[in-house]
Amino acid sequence: GGGGISCVLQDGEVFEKAGVNVSVVFGLLSEEAARQMRSRGKSLKAKDGKLPFCAMGVSSVIHPKNPHVPTMHFNYRYFEIEEADGTKQWWFGGGTDLTPTYLNEEDAIHFHKTLKEACDKHDLKLYPKYKKWCDDYFYIKHRGERRGIGGIFFDDVDSPSKEEVFQFVKSCAKAVVPCYIPIVKRHCHDSFTPEEKLWQQLRRGRYVEFNLVYDRGTKFGLLTPGSRIESILMSLPLTARWEYMHTPPESSKEAEILEVLRNPKDWVH
């Protein structure tokens, strides 16, 4: 039950494809989804094999037209499950991350510093912990590289209290516009070559690979009976490309971003 709203912009002047999903859904957890959660350490006691749940969240993926403007994704969500004895388990999850086609250190530092400031309001330990989690989560194992230059990511957060975690998640969500929009404004009118556009298409191919093979949210959506497939796959770019055995030249701008994707950097110290 429940539902949501999906808003998608395609073929815009600045954004080739950009979407925002807001959803509030409830029902019974599929066995496969419950298995996934148990594999993360959740002890879920079903009643007659049934686990009622409710989930709500806001997510966005923005794929800009210009290769010098990075792709950005954020998602913040709340999940609640009612067990056989009537007790409820709840947790928050989410994050914000940046996927540039070309590395711009000034942009990377601005993005990470803004997220760090949002985390630091609540606990100085959160940013380093969730930055590492982000680098580990957005890892394309079969390529040996990250999807982008990271940001923050967390899941299953259920302490110290519901209100305190909610305030933290709100701070993270409020940081999305200031961490990203200045970067868009700085580069949306940059000139670019056909070769740079081609590299953007190849990097988008990697984005698709991560989302379809590894992303937990995509998997959960596809396993949820009656889910809206168009909304789940909103995160995919309008265009992408896969070339056989493509390797950028050494010491090129393309090789520079690959180095950072293979060996994540500390951007704020």
Side-chain angles (χ1 to χ4, degrees):
I5 299 171
S6 294
C7 299
V8 177
L9 168 74
Q10 282 186 179
D11 284 320
E13 203 170 298
V14 175
F15 301 135
E16 191 173 301
K17 184 179 173 195
V20 180
N21 284 339
V22 178
S23 62
V24 180
V25 295
F26 57 87
L28 297 172
L29 213 55
S30 71
E31 191 47 52
E32 180 61 33
R35 198 177 301 126
Q36 260 193 44
M37 288 176 182
R38 288 191 180 104
S39 73
R40 305 201 318 256
K42 296 277 175 203
S43 74
L44 305 172
K45 302 177 196 77
K47 186 177 185 179
D48 304 324
K50 293 176 179 173
L51 273 167
F53 80 93
C54 73
M56 55 203 72
V58 56
S59 63
S60 177
V61 179
I62 296 174
H63 294 288
K65 193 169 272 188
N66 192 312
H68 298 294
V69 182
T71 285
M72 191 274 296
H73 154 259
F74 80 86
N75 165 246
Y76 291 101
R77 57 192 179 274
Y78 172 77
F79 213 95
E80 196 173 272
I81 284 179
E82 188 176 330
E83 296 189 274
D85 60 2
T87 59
K88 287 184 178 177
Q89 281 201 51
W90 61 267
W91 62 88
F92 287 88
T96 307
D97 62 280
L98 197 69
T99 306
T101 301
Y102 288 95
L103 183 63
N104 180 302
E105 296 219 352
E106 191 184 333
D107 294 343
I109 291 165
H110 166 79
F111 185 80
H112 277 269
K113 271 195 168 170
T114 309
L115 293 178
K116 182 179 184 295
E117 283 163 15
C119 293
D120 285 356
K121 287 179 199 167
H122 301 270
D123 189 333
L124 296 178
K125 296 192 196 92
L126 294 179
Y127 170 77
K129 179 181 176 183
Y130 294 157
K131 191 266 184 198
K132 183 182 184 307
W133 198 338
C134 189
D135 288 335
D136 293 343
Y137 179 75
F138 290 106
Y139 182 59
I140 309 170
K141 195 173 179 182
H142 60 271
R143 298 286 190 183
E145 60 193 47
R146 275 82 194 156
R147 188 177 79 175
I149 60 161
I152 55 171
F153 178 86
F154 54 89
D155 208 353
D156 302 329
V157 179
D158 55 7
S159 65
S161 72
K162 192 182 283 188
E163 187 53 37
E164 283 173 276
V165 183
F166 184 40
Q167 292 305 323
F168 164 65
V169 170
K170 281 204 281 190
S171 292
C172 294
K174 284 177 181 171
V176 168
V177 169
C179 78
Y180 182 58
I181 296 303
I183 298 173
V184 177
K185 288 181 173 174
R186 199 178 297 144
H187 300 292
C188 65
H189 299 301
D190 288 3
S191 60
F192 58 88
T193 65
E195 290 75 25
E196 288 170 333
K197 189 67 183 173
L198 169 63
W199 178 243
Q200 181 193 49
Q201 298 291 93
L202 293 167
R203 295 314 309 164
R204 283 183 182 168
R206 298 288 205 268
Y207 202 94
V208 172
E209 287 175 30
F210 177 85
N211 281 32
L212 294 183
V213 177
Y214 300 110
D215 187 68
R216 198 184 288 165
T218 304
K219 283 182 178 177
F220 178 80
L222 296 175
L223 293 169
T224 303
S227 58
R228 188 168 185 268
I229 302 302
E230 285 295 323
S231 296
I232 296 161
L233 299 182
M234 173 208 82
S235 65
L236 301 183
L238 194 60
T239 58
R241 188 177 174 110
W242 285 265
E243 280 194 12
Y244 184 69
M245 298 296 286
H246 184 279
T247 307
E250 277 185 46
S251 305
S252 64
K253 282 288 201 183
E254 291 77 13
E256 179 187 36
I257 185 76
L258 280 181
E259 173 58 29
V260 171
L261 300 178
R262 288 168 183 158
N263 302 289
K265 280 181 70 167
D266 177 353
W267 297 103
V268 295
H269 296 105

